[in-house]
Amino acid sequence: MPQIVRVALDVPLRRFFDYCVPEGECLSVDDIGCRVRVPFGQQRKIGIIVALPSESAVPLAQLRSCEVVLRDLPPLPADWFRLVEFCAAYYQVPVGQVMLSTLPAGLRSTTPAKPRPVRRLPDDTRAIAAPALTAEQEMSLAAIAAGGPGFHAYLLHGVTGSGKTEIYLRLIERTLAAGRQSLLLVPEINLTPQLEARVRARFPAAGLVSLHSELGEAARNRNWRAALSGAARIVLGTRLAVFAPLPEPGLIVVDEEHDASFKQQDGIRYSARDLAVFRARQCGIPIVLGSATPSLESWANAAGNGAGNAAPARYRLLSLHARAVEGARLPVVRRVDTRVDKPIDGLSGQLLEAIEKRLERGEQSLLFLNRRGYAPVLACMACGWTSGCRRCAAHLVLHLADRCLRCHHCGFAAAVPKACPTCGNQDLSAFGRGTQRLEVVLGERFPQARVLRVDRDSASSRTHWEALVARIHAGEVDILVGTQMLAKGHDFPKLTLVGVVSPDAALFAADWRAPERLFAQLMQVAGRAGRADRPGEVLIQTQFPDHPLYAALVDHDYPAFAAAHLKERQQAGFPPYTHQAMLRAEAPRMADALSFLNTARASPPPGCENAVTFYDAVPMRLSRRASRERGQLLVESSSRRVLQQFLAGWVVQIEAIKAPGSLRWHLEVDPLEF
Ligand code: ADP
Ligand code: ZN
Ligand code: ZN
C-alpha cells in the first residue's frame, strides 16, 4: 500500500490535501515540516508536509503522487506550526494560505534558485559600549530576571528617551548568553535603520539578520534561512518577522507595541503584537512590549481589567519615568490658544516667535502636520465645484510640487486644471493646508532659513529617507515640516522646538480610536524635542486648550490619559471591554454589498443564533474606493471565546452565500479602523 502524505497548499480552501508517495520512496516523521512539490490541477505547487496519515478520506486510487520532497532546509519546527495554526484559526483564514504566505517567495517557487549555504557562527555573547544602567533600568531588568525563563509578558512603559532600547539590548545579551535566539519586532524598519545599527554595534558577532518587506528577495530568503538554521541569534524585523521560524527561541520584544502598523491591513489581517504574545506563551519564553504610549488594550492587561474591575493583571507593568541621559529633561509642552492668538497661514504669533528664536540660536524646529500635499481640496467659488475623485468618495488633493491633483486612496492623478471644469472660472481656490503649503509659507516668512519637508512624497524610499535624515543630522536644515514619518524613533540633537500645527480634528473624529492615536503621535513627536543637552519645547496650536487630552500631554501623563479613556470605553462598551469582528464587502453597486452583508447577518451558524450582537450593515465611511462601493457589518461579544466559536462557524456560512462574481469580502478580527 502506498504511503500517504498530507500537504498544506496556498489555496483559499480550509483543508489540507493528501498525496501518495512515489514507489520506492519512504518518508519519515523528520520530513514533516519540509516543503514538497505536488501537482495541483494543471499546475505544480510547493506545499508543506503537515502529516503522514495512515489513511485518507480520498480513495487511494484517486490520490495523485507528490513529486519531490525538498530537504534543502531543516524542517519547520513544531512551535512554528502551532503559531500558524493559531493565526489561521483566530483570524479565520485557511491555514495553508497562512503557512505558505509567511515563507519568503524563493521558498515557494517551484523553480528555486540555488541559495548560498548558511554558516552557523559560534554563539558569541560579546557586547560592546554599554552605558551604566539608571536606577529605573536596573529595577526593570531585575524584575524581568526575577520572573525567570518561562512565559511572562511585561509591558515596559517608558517615556521617550527613557532607555527602553537599552533594556532590550541587555535582555538580548542575557538571551545570547543562555544560547537562545531573540526576536525583536519594530513597527517600520524603514524608519529605524538606527536601531539596526545600534543592535549590530552592540553584538557584532551574533549574526543579526533583519526581515522586512523592503528587503530584496534573495536577502529575505537568506535571512529567513539563517533564522531557521539557528545561525542568526538575533532577528530584527517588522510584523511579518513574527512568523520567522526559530529553533531556539528565548526572548521576544515588541517595540512601540501600540503602533498600528503591527496590524496587517490586507490579505491575512493579523496583529503581529498579539501573535507575538501567543508565540511567547506557547514557547514558554518572556515577551516585552515596550512603548511610551501603550495601546489601551495592553494597558488594560497590565492594570487588571481596568476601572472598577479587580481581575488580576495579565502583564507585569514596568515603568521608566525619566530620561536616561544625565540632565536630559522631557520637553515643556505648552498650548497656544488659537482663538486668541489667531494663526495666519496656519502659524500663530507664538509659534512664529519660537521659530525665530531657534533660528537665532542655530537650533532646529520641527512643524508637525499630518497631511500630505499642498491643500486637501481645490474648489471653484463661482459654481461650487470641488476636486472630487471619480473613483472614490473622496477629494483629490492638490500637490503643487508636481502640479497635479492626486487621490490618496486610489492613486488616481490628473493635471491641475487651468480653469473650473464646470463653469470655466480661472480663479480656483485651494482649501485647507498640507505639508507642501506649510513649506511654502515658511519659506516666505523666513527667507533666510533652510526649510525641508519630510513626508511620504519627499521620502518615498528608504534611500530618499536616509538622505534626508543625513541632511538633518549634518545641520543643513533649520526648519523641518513633516508628517508622522518624522515622529518616530529619530534623535536630532539640534532639534529643540516642535510645533503641532492643527491637531484638533482628531479630538472629535467619528473613529473612536482617533484620540488614542493622536495622543500617541503627539507624545512621540514631542519626544523629538530636546533629546540631548538642550531643553526642548513643544507648542500645540489648538482651539480647545482645556481638552483633557492636551492637559495629560502637558503633564506627560499617559496613565491619566489611559485611565480616562479606558473608563469611557468601559461605559460605552468598546474594546477592550468587548470583542469585535468586522465583515466588509465591496462591489460595483452598494446595494449588492449591503445585501450580501444582510444575508450574512441572517445566516448565523446553527446553534449560535443569539451568540453575538450584530450592528446594522452600513456603508463604510470611505464608501467608494477605486470605483467599488464598500459596506461593513460589525459583530461583537463580551467573550472572546464565544466570538471565536461563532466566527469559525459563520465564515463557513458566509462562504456558501451566492454572491455576484464581482463581489469581494473579508472578515477582520479585532478591527482597528472603522
Ligand atoms: P527609548 O528607547 O526609551 O527611547 P533609548 O534606549 O533609545 O530610549 O535611550 C535614549 C538615549 O539615552 C540614547 O541616546 C541612549 O544611548 C541613552 N541611554 C540609555 N540608557 C542609558 C544609560 N543607562 N545611561 C546613559 N545613557 C543612556
Ligand atoms: Zn466653477
Ligand atoms: Zn480615488
Side-chain angles (χ1 to χ4, degrees):
M1 199 176 90
Q3 198 183 9
I4 301 167
V5 57
R6 189 158 290 163
V7 177
L9 292 173
D10 186 6
V11 291
L13 297 172
R14 290 164 204 278
R15 48 169 290 215
F16 296 126
F17 297 85
D18 290 348
Y19 288 86
C20 55
V21 176
E23 225 173 293
E25 265 218 66
C26 180
L27 304 192
S28 78
V29 285
D30 291 342
D31 292 313
I32 294 176
C34 283
R35 281 140 47 246
V36 60
R37 197 175 70 208
V38 297
F40 189 83
Q42 301 297 316
Q43 309 168 319
R44 299 274 174 286
K45 274 185 182 291
I46 293 292
I48 295 172
I49 300 177
V50 297
L52 300 171
S54 54
E55 50 189 61
S56 174
V58 182
L60 272 184
Q62 287 174 27
L63 286 184
R64 297 175 77 178
S65 212
C66 68
E67 291 181 354
V68 58
V69 177
L70 302 164
R71 298 189 178 90
D72 54 335
L73 290 177
L76 290 155
D79 75 281
W80 182 87
F81 276 99
R82 290 200 294 272
L83 175 69
V84 289
E85 278 160 8
F86 172 80
C87 176
Y90 188 82
Y91 295 106
Q92 311 297 338
V93 195
V95 64
Q97 285 190 321
V98 180
M99 288 187 180
L100 274 301
S101 68
T102 63
L103 300 193
L107 299 179
R108 280 178 269 151
S109 162
T110 47
T111 51
K114 197 156 177 56
R116 284 189 285 156
V118 198
R119 198 161 48 89
R120 168 77 192 254
L121 298 163
D123 282 3
D124 189 335
T125 60
R126 186 157 39 102
I128 290 173
L133 296 169
T134 64
E136 285 189 323
Q137 285 171 327
E138 291 274 15
M139 266 162 53
S140 296
L141 281 164
I144 296 172
F151 169 70
H152 295 280
Y154 300 94
L155 180 60
L156 178 62
H157 169 234
V159 297
T160 48
S162 58
K164 295 186 291 298
T165 311
E166 185 58 43
I167 290 188
Y168 308 153
L169 294 174
R170 299 297 178 112
L171 292 173
I172 290 172
E173 189 178 348
R174 287 182 192 167
T175 310
L176 284 171
R180 303 200 147 259
Q181 293 169 289
S182 301
L183 176 63
L184 175 53
L185 298 179
V186 294
E188 284 169 62
I189 214 140
N190 194 11
L191 305 181
T192 51
Q194 269 190 337
L195 179 63
E196 194 178 333
R198 205 166 145 189
V199 181
R200 209 181 282 286
R202 183 69 65 89
F203 308 108
L208 165 72
V209 298
S210 60
L211 284 174
H212 55 86
S213 51
E214 271 204 18
L215 278 183
E217 201 179 291
R220 190 167 156 212
N221 195 339
R222 194 166 58 240
N223 292 354
W224 194 90
R225 298 167 73 99
L228 174 60
S229 72
R233 310 310 288 168
I234 306 173
V235 177
L236 170 68
T238 50
R239 59 173 181 257
L240 57 86
V242 74
F243 295 108
L246 304 170
E248 297 163 312
L251 170 73
I252 304 181
V253 172
V254 183
D255 189 28
E256 308 288 359
E257 67 88 27
H258 65 280
D259 199 290
S261 55
F262 284 119
K263 182 80 190 261
Q264 171 129 323
Q265 300 285 5
D266 53 22
I268 302 164
R269 291 170 163 79
Y270 65 91
S271 156
R273 187 220 27 233
D274 295 350
L275 287 181
V277 174
F278 171 84
R279 188 171 186 182
R281 181 181 297 123
Q282 55 120 3
C283 291
I285 60 172
I287 179 166
V288 177
L289 308 176
S291 176
T293 51
S295 63
L296 291 180
E297 278 77 3
S298 296
W299 190 254
N301 275 332
N305 271 324
N309 187 334
R314 286 194 249 172
Y315 299 171
R316 170 110 197 238
L317 180 65
L318 308 169
S319 299
L320 304 175
H321 301 93
R323 284 191 159 177
V325 173
E326 182 85 39
R329 298 250 158 71
L330 286 171
V332 175
V333 181
R334 291 202 286 123
R335 290 158 282 193
V336 176
D337 186 342
T338 52
R339 292 167 307 180
V340 183
D341 185 348
K342 288 203 165 54
I344 298 170
D345 288 331
L347 301 170
S348 62
Q350 289 173 68
L351 184 53
L352 287 170
E353 219 173 278
I355 297 172
E356 191 84 61
K357 255 195 241 158
R358 292 330 183 272
L359 290 174
E360 283 165 16
R361 300 207 292 250
E363 297 173 355
Q364 290 173 328
S365 307
L366 158 63
L367 298 198
F368 177 73
L369 177 63
N370 222 357
R371 190 186 277 150
R372 291 184 294 132
Y374 183 86
V377 56
L378 187 68
C380 169
M381 298 298 276
C383 74
W385 171 85
T386 57
S387 56
C389 177
R390 249 171 290 157
R391 297 152 40 103
C392 306
H395 282 120
L396 296 172
V397 176
L398 176 61
H399 283 250
L400 276 194
D402 50 0
R403 301 207 63 78
C404 71
L405 291 172
R406 186 174 296 141
C407 177
H408 286 191
H409 299 286
C410 71
F412 173 83
V416 178
K418 294 209 167 52
C420 172
T422 312
C423 74
N425 170 20
Q426 297 197 350
D427 190 13
L428 296 175
S429 314
F431 275 98
R433 191 168 300 104
T435 45
Q436 291 181 5
R437 190 170 203 164
L438 201 55
E439 182 189 14
V440 172
V441 168
L442 287 162
E444 287 166 2
R445 187 67 183 64
F446 301 104
Q448 77 283 20
R450 295 159 301 176
V451 181
L452 180 73
R453 173 169 54 85
V454 181
D455 55 27
R456 250 194 308 132
D457 298 316
S458 69
S460 54
S461 73
R462 186 165 169 165
T463 326
H464 280 129
W465 163 256
E466 281 169 5
L468 294 180
V469 168
R471 283 179 61 191
I472 304 169
H473 272 289
E476 290 170 24
V477 180
D478 301 308
I479 306 175
L480 286 157
V481 179
T483 56
Q484 60 163 336
M485 248 192 136
L486 260 185
K488 293 186 191 181
H490 256 276
D491 288 355
F492 301 120
K494 289 177 81 181
L495 183 72
T496 59
L497 172 70
V498 170
V500 180
V501 175
S502 51
D504 284 343
L507 294 179
F508 309 106
D511 184 343
W512 48 268
R513 285 189 200 267
E516 183 183 351
R517 280 197 292 269
L518 176 66
F519 189 84
Q521 262 176 13
L522 295 188
M523 280 285 262
Q524 210 153 25
V525 75
R528 298 306 112 210
R531 300 269 292 191
D533 49 345
R534 307 171 203 223
E537 184 181 28
V538 180
L539 296 184
I540 298 175
Q541 301 194 132
T542 173
Q543 295 193 51
F544 306 92
D546 300 326
H547 195 283
L549 188 147
Y550 296 134
L553 210 64
V554 168
D555 294 336
H556 301 281
D557 195 348
Y558 169 81
F561 167 82
H565 270 261
L566 279 175
K567 204 165 181 182
E568 277 177 26
R569 295 254 185 112
Q570 193 171 35
Q571 279 160 1
F574 285 148
Y577 302 99
T578 184
H579 304 279
Q580 301 181 326
M582 184 77 88
L583 179 65
R584 299 199 186 88
E586 53 171 69
R589 296 185 327 143
M590 183 62 84
D592 290 336
L594 293 181
S595 130
F596 175 85
L597 294 174
N598 282 320
T599 309
R601 189 182 164 170
S603 322
C608 291
E609 284 74 11
N610 298 312
V612 297
T613 308
F614 278 107
Y615 285 70
D616 286 334
V618 290
M620 288 173 64
R621 193 128 36 85
L622 183 65
S623 60
R624 182 162 41 92
R625 188 173 71 187
S627 304
R628 296 175 69 80
E629 305 277 346
R630 306 163 355 127
Q632 66 184 29
L633 170 64
L634 186 65
V635 297
E636 191 176 275
S637 166
S638 57
S639 156
R640 194 187 288 281
R641 196 179 46 80
V642 169
L643 180 65
Q644 278 293 311
Q645 266 172 3
F646 173 84
L647 293 177
W650 194 39
V651 78
V652 178
Q653 304 285 105
I654 298 171
E655 280 173 340
I657 296 174
K658 287 203 176 35
S662 56
L663 185 136
R664 298 275 171 279
W665 62 270
H666 70 258
L667 189 63
E668 180 170 351
V669 181
D670 304 329
L672 277 189
E673 278 170 32
F674 292 86

